[in-house]
Structures are given as C-alpha cells and as structure tokens.
Amino acid sequence: MKPHLSIIFPAFGILCLAVVTIPGSIRAQAPAGPLPAVQPQAATPSAANSQNQQRAETRTSILGQWKLNRDESDDPRKKMEDARTSRGSGSGGGSGVRIGGFPVGGHGGYGGNRGGASDEDRLRAQATIAPAISMTLAQKDPKNPEVDLTDDQNRKLALFTDGRKLEKPDSKDDSYQEIAARWDGSRLVTDEKGPREGKMSRTFELSYDGAQLYETIRLTMGRSNTPLGIRYVYDPVSAPAAQPNQ
C-alpha cells in the first residue's frame, strides 16, 4: 500500500502546482488595459464625391417653373399613329411639322386632311396637343380659384376651379384662354373641348418623388372617338437668385 501512496501524492502535487501557475502565465502574456480600437479607414474618393453631389431638386407642389424633358416625354405623332392603327385606319405617314421639338402632323385624324379635317382644324389640333418648351404654373394664394399657366410663347391659360362662367376664347387670338378645372387632391385636372368639338382633359401632377411634373393629355380623336393619351415630362427650373441692391 505504501508504494502506491508514494506515487499518488507527488503526482497530485504536480497537478495542483500546474493549476496555480498556468493562469498566471496566461495573464502575464495578455496586454494590460482594453484592446486597441480598430483605426477607421479613410473614405474612398468615390464615396466622398457621391456624398458631396447635390440631390435633384424636388417640389411639393405643381406650382413653379418647369422645362420640357423630351427624352422622357411621349412622342405625340407616334401616339396618334398608334391610335389610328388601333381603330383600323393604318399608318399616318407624312413628315408633318415639328412643334415643341416633336414632329406633329402627317395624314389622317388630327394630323391631316383625312376625314374632312380642314387646315385650320389640323393646326388647332397640333397647337392643342403640342407641349410647351417651358411653362410656369402660378397661384396668388392657396385659396385663390385661379391657377395661371404661362408658356414660353407668352400664352396664358387661366384655369378656374370655382365653376364660374368662362369667357369664350377669341378664335383670332390664342394668347389668353379661360378653362374649367378642378383639384383632385394635389393634382389639377382640366375639363375642356378638344379639336373638332371632342372631349379633352389635362392632368398636372408631381412624380412620386417630386422631382418632375407630369402633364397628361387625354382626348378622343376621329369620328369613332378613339381615346388618345399623351404624357409630357417636365423638370423643375430653379428660380433665379435675388440680386443685391447696387
């Protein structure tokens, strides 16, 4: 029995000594204090440039100055040709004239003489659906029933939302016209007569992000009253900064 105890006791003593000394050596190897913080990396030039870029101007109202974005707008001539094709009239053809940067014209429907349309009817139709290169929507105050639209040709459309009796337009002067309109939430919708006594409406509304203005024209064309929809897209124009007094 004694030989076994002489072996067990020294082994137990060695184990106890290891338990005491090993944690101390581990603590001696660890650096004092908290671990050093990770150094932040400098922003890359591309990230810094993207943060410094100015965001596109946004609006909370349709009021203000706007300029036509041709690239994102509908081509009125193509829209008319598509409408004629859908009612079985075939392609319009012809080069027509350019209004608002778009070729508007050709033969048939609102674009030409087919169906008995006179030159006066055709010109009136072209002027009606052609977009303004730039325009300004203005209202004296939020409760005023009149919203004025002035385009780059200095023509003015007075849009009245109170249901008043409107003055008849002067057939020889298209610089001023009164039009019935109504507010549909933040959208402004007109109710007017289109070319050749057809029905027509315009809707002015902001894009979902407020960065653009949409003008959507809806009317009927031809004896079959084929519906036609054209959307023009406008970008905001910043108001000029006030000049200091000299």
Side-chain angles (χ1 to χ4, degrees):
M1 188 68 180
K2 290 181 178 180
H4 291 289
L5 292 175
S6 62
I7 296 173
I8 294 174
F9 283 129
F12 182 74
I14 293 172
L15 179 62
C16 292
L17 180 61
V19 170
V20 173
T21 59
I22 291 175
S25 63
I26 294 176
R27 287 194 296 270
Q29 295 175 3
L35 294 175
V38 178
Q39 294 297 326
Q41 296 181 353
T44 61
S46 59
N49 291 337
S50 61
Q51 292 177 357
N52 293 332
Q53 288 179 350
Q54 294 183 351
R55 294 183 178 180
E57 181 181 350
T58 58
R59 301 277 179 90
T60 58
S61 168
I62 66 172
L63 303 178
Q65 293 179 297
W66 304 90
K67 61 180 179 180
L68 180 67
N69 185 327
R70 292 190 183 94
D71 293 336
E72 297 186 27
S73 298
D74 288 338
D75 184 336
R77 183 187 176 201
K78 185 178 184 304
K79 283 287 186 176
M80 288 191 294
E81 289 179 352
D82 291 344
R84 286 194 293 267
T85 301
S86 67
R87 75 175 192 236
S89 298
S91 177
S95 58
V97 296
R98 297 184 68 87
I99 300 180
F102 294 99
V104 181
H107 303 290
Y110 285 144
N113 294 325
R114 182 179 298 178
S118 65
D119 290 341
E120 183 179 353
D121 290 335
R122 184 174 68 257
L123 292 175
R124 186 181 298 111
Q126 292 170 353
T128 300
I129 67 174
I133 303 300
S134 63
M135 65 179 176
T136 301
L137 288 164
Q139 186 181 25
K140 292 181 179 180
D141 62 74
K143 295 184 179 181
N144 194 299
E146 178 181 353
V147 178
D148 294 331
L149 187 160
T150 307
D151 65 12
D152 53 286
Q153 301 296 320
N154 204 30
R155 292 173 298 193
K156 179 179 177 180
L157 298 180
L159 312 179
F160 290 101
T161 61
D162 56 357
R164 69 178 65 185
K165 185 177 180 180
L166 306 177
E167 295 182 3
K168 292 184 179 181
D170 186 349
S171 59
K172 298 181 180 180
D173 183 11
D174 63 350
S175 62
Y176 177 81
Q177 185 178 353
E178 296 183 356
I179 295 177
R182 57 184 172 83
W183 287 104
D184 180 12
S186 59
R187 306 190 309 166
L188 184 61
V189 184
T190 70
D191 181 14
E192 50 190 304
K193 291 182 179 180
R196 303 181 69 181
E197 302 301 319
K199 294 182 178 180
M200 174 177 166
S201 70
R202 305 173 194 259
T203 301
F204 299 93
E205 60 183 326
L206 289 177
S207 60
Y208 72 95
D209 57 359
Q212 292 179 314
L213 173 74
Y214 297 152
E215 178 190 8
T216 304
I217 299 177
R218 296 182 177 88
L219 69 161
T220 57
M221 58 183 293
R223 295 179 179 178
S224 60
N225 290 327
T226 302
L228 175 65
I230 305 173
R231 189 180 79 170
Y232 298 123
V233 180
Y234 290 85
D235 296 325
V237 177
S238 300
Q243 297 294 330
N245 295 329
Q246 298 292 333

